[in-house]
């Protein structure tokens, strides 16, 4: 494998003799023409050199394929036999780290679209869609209940070159990946420590609104709880960091809610997100006015999930 990669190094840009809209019968032809170097894989590239091409094959429910803008889910977490997500994705995997590097350094990505997708296979061959830039990246909980890495790709005009997007603050010298991870950790810490979070926990004295559990962790009666944003913060959900968009939950209910295994109705009832059956009424105090539009947005993230029973 190492010799094969050495013979086919990462090469950015459109290969000679290839044009946008060109059709290819399969991965073998894509590889032969230098359009996609790594046959059978959706992402071609390395964590240290970047990604030179990707194939859109409909493998993830959260993908959005447009002509000039694409929301692309990275690699990892999928069982190749069942084609279901079984684990969280991480930004440190080869392909995802490579796409982060593209974003930071301004390297373009060749995009190949699979045609007539059936069970994640392109039965109609492939079409070369041109060069795109990695405009943004983030992690979120996907429709299958696991954390996914996503990238917003924007099409480049003929002759346009993407600009590098340095992410380290002035005066600091960090690798691109180190800075991405630093920003993620700092952002999550900010969420945990915000005044909004503290206020919601105070309202319920650290008691879970979904199950009623109060986790006491000291002889003095100190308890712990977690704050769950109903409409998630950040890309792509853009929920408000406000009291009316936050629940006080125990760690178990928080994990279930983040993955859609617990949901809320417009009448503030807790339901099992896998069966759609009623669990109990959500505990609420008068001063906590929860936004129904945020509840609906959270529910809509799991609308494509098949239900049991």
């Amino acid at each position: 494998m190492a010799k094969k990669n050495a013979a086919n190094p990462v090469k950015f840009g459109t290969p000679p003799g290839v044009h946008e809209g060109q059709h290819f019968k399969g991965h073998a032809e894509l590889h032969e023409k230098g359009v996609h170097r790594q046959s059978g894989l959706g992402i071609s590239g390395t964590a240290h050199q970047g990604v030179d091409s990707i194939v859109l094959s409909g493998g993830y429910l959260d993908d959005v394929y447009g002509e000039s803008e694409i929301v692309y889910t990275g690699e990892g977490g999928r069982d190749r036999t069942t084609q279901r997500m079984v684990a969280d994705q991480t930004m440190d995997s080869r392909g995802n780290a490579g796409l982060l590097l593209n974003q930071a350094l301004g390297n373009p990505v060749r995009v190949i679209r699979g045609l007539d997708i059936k069970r994640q296979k392109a039965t109609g061959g492939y079409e070369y869609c041109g060069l795109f830039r990695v405009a943004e990246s983030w992690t979120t909980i996907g429709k299958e209940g696991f954390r996914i890495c996503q990238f917003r790709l924007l099409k480049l005009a003929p002759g346009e070159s993407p600009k590098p997007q340095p992410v380290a603050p002035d005066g600091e010298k960090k690798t691109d990946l180190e800075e991405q991870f630093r920003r993620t950790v700092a952002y999550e810490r900010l969420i945990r420590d915000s005044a909004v979070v503290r206020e919601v926990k105070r309202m319920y004295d650290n008691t879970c609104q979904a199950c009623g559990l109060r986790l006491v962790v000291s002889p003095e009666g100190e308890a712990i709880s977690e704050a769950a944003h109903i409409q998630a913060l950040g890309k792509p959900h853009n929920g408000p960091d406000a009291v009316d968009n936050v629940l006080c939950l125990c760690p178990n209910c928080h994990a279930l809610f983040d993955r859609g295994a617990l949901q809320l109705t417009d009448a503030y009832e807790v339901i099992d997100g896998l069966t759609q059956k009623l669990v109990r009424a959500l505990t609420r105090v008068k001063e906590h006015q929860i936004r129904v539009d945020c509840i609906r947005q959270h529910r809509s993230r799991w609308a494509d999930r098949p239900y049991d029973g």
Side-chain angles (χ1 to χ4, degrees):
M1 181 62 70
K3 291 183 179 179
K4 183 177 180 180
N5 288 339
N8 296 279
V10 171
K11 293 183 179 179
F12 300 107
T14 300
V18 174
H19 59 84
E20 185 177 330
Q22 186 169 342
H23 181 268
F24 299 86
K25 294 180 180 180
H27 268 269
E29 190 175 354
L30 288 169
H31 185 273
E32 179 185 352
K33 299 295 185 182
V35 181
H36 192 65
R37 299 178 311 107
Q38 295 177 320
S39 297
L41 298 178
I43 300 178
S44 169
T46 71
H48 302 291
Q49 295 176 293
V51 169
D52 52 5
S53 64
I54 62 171
V55 175
L56 310 181
S57 59
Y60 295 92
L61 295 178
D62 301 270
D63 285 351
V64 180
Y65 300 156
E67 294 298 323
S68 59
E69 180 173 344
I70 295 166
V71 176
Y72 179 76
T73 303
E75 66 184 8
R78 181 173 297 287
D79 183 282
R80 288 185 175 273
T81 302
T82 64
Q83 295 301 319
R84 291 179 175 272
M85 290 290 291
V86 295
D88 290 344
Q89 295 182 347
T90 65
M91 282 293 191
D92 59 356
S93 69
R94 173 193 57 83
N96 299 339
L99 285 168
L100 280 180
L101 195 59
N102 280 55
Q103 178 183 342
L105 300 182
N107 290 324
V109 182
R110 292 187 296 275
V111 172
I112 302 107
R113 187 188 303 270
L115 305 176
D116 297 329
I117 301 295
K118 296 179 181 179
R119 297 183 178 181
Q120 287 78 53
K121 293 185 179 180
T123 62
Y126 298 89
E127 178 187 0
Y128 177 51
C129 299
L131 298 177
F132 286 66
R133 67 183 178 91
V134 183
E136 293 180 272
S137 55
W138 60 85
T139 65
T140 187
I141 302 299
K143 293 179 180 179
E144 293 183 78
F146 293 91
R147 184 164 294 279
I148 56 175
C149 303
Q150 293 197 295
F151 305 87
R152 187 164 74 98
L153 309 178
L154 299 179
K155 190 166 186 177
L156 295 171
E160 179 185 359
S161 297
K163 296 180 179 179
Q165 299 183 46
V167 289
D170 293 341
E172 292 188 26
K173 293 184 178 180
K174 289 184 170 66
T175 68
D176 302 303
L177 293 181
E178 286 175 338
E179 177 58 22
Q180 287 285 350
F181 298 145
R182 185 197 68 80
R183 288 199 304 167
T184 299
V185 171
Y187 183 61
E188 291 179 347
R189 183 179 297 118
L190 177 63
I191 293 173
R192 289 196 299 269
D193 295 341
S194 73
V196 168
V197 165
R198 293 195 298 271
E199 174 63 13
V200 173
K201 290 183 177 184
R202 179 202 65 77
M203 288 179 178
Y204 296 95
D205 191 25
N206 292 300
T207 302
C208 180
Q209 291 179 254
C211 72
L213 179 65
R214 186 173 188 270
L215 288 173
V216 178
V217 295
S218 75
E220 292 77 24
E222 181 183 1
I224 60 170
S225 63
E226 297 183 358
H229 285 81
I230 302 168
Q231 180 175 342
L233 299 182
K235 299 285 186 179
H237 308 294
N238 301 315
D241 188 16
V243 169
D244 53 13
N245 184 41
V246 175
L247 299 175
C248 179
L249 301 177
C250 68
N252 282 350
C253 288
H254 189 183
L256 294 171
F257 187 80
D258 274 357
R259 286 158 171 78
L262 283 183
Q263 301 173 18
L264 299 179
T265 69
D266 290 1
Y268 305 104
E269 297 168 322
V270 181
I271 57 175
D272 185 318
L274 305 180
T275 65
Q276 295 296 288
K277 294 180 180 178
L278 175 67
V279 176
R280 69 193 295 269
L282 183 74
T283 300
R284 290 187 299 149
V285 296
K286 291 183 178 180
E287 58 185 308
H288 192 197
Q289 301 297 316
I290 300 172
R291 286 174 52 174
V292 174
D293 61 315
C294 293
I295 291 174
R296 290 174 179 170
Q297 192 279 340
H298 176 266
R299 253 191 348 257
S300 71
R301 292 171 57 188
W302 323 104
D304 296 333
R305 172 184 285 171
Y307 297 120
D308 180 12

